[in-house]
Amino acid sequence: MLRYALLRLGLFAVVLLVLYALGGRGVLLVAVAALLSLPLSLLLLRRQRDEMSRDVDERVQRRAQARAAGDPSRVDPDAAAEDAEDERRRQDPPA
């Protein structure tokens, strides 16, 4: 994910520099660079976007499998501690 974000940021910087060299200035320069870099990133970074999408999907699938298997430590590292605290509070209600 970091690679894709850095490539998009780099593409934005290139577009920004090209527009600056062509005489763009100020907030309008940044806005136009953002508007132009979006479709360019969709066209030029398709492979990286697909790779990132697969990585995210794999993470979601692993978490879903861990949740289905009943392994809270793989879903959320703090889940076991939270469960223990909840059980303690149920057993010892406040006075």
Side-chain angles (χ1 to χ4, degrees):
M1 285 195 313
L2 180 62
R3 179 178 179 219
Y4 178 67
L6 291 175
L7 287 171
R8 283 197 64 190
L9 186 61
L11 184 60
F12 171 75
V14 168
V15 171
L16 187 77
L17 290 174
V18 168
L19 291 175
Y20 185 80
L22 293 174
R25 299 290 186 268
V27 175
L28 187 60
L29 167 69
V30 176
V32 171
L35 288 174
L36 290 177
S37 66
L38 176 64
L40 286 174
S41 71
L42 290 174
L43 293 173
L44 300 175
L45 301 177
R46 173 177 285 209
R47 185 172 32 106
Q48 292 83 359
R49 188 177 60 252
D50 290 344
E51 182 180 312
M52 180 192 65
S53 177
R54 279 191 300 274
D55 290 346
V56 169
D57 187 51
E58 287 173 8
R59 287 183 194 178
V60 169
Q61 293 299 324
R62 281 195 308 261
R63 285 187 179 198
Q65 289 172 353
R67 185 173 290 131
D71 185 3
S73 64
R74 293 202 48 194
V75 176
D76 182 5
D78 296 328
E82 290 173 8
D83 291 346
E85 181 66 21
D86 287 342
E87 286 299 319
R88 186 188 63 76
R89 287 185 181 174
R90 285 188 193 125
Q91 291 174 359
D92 300 329

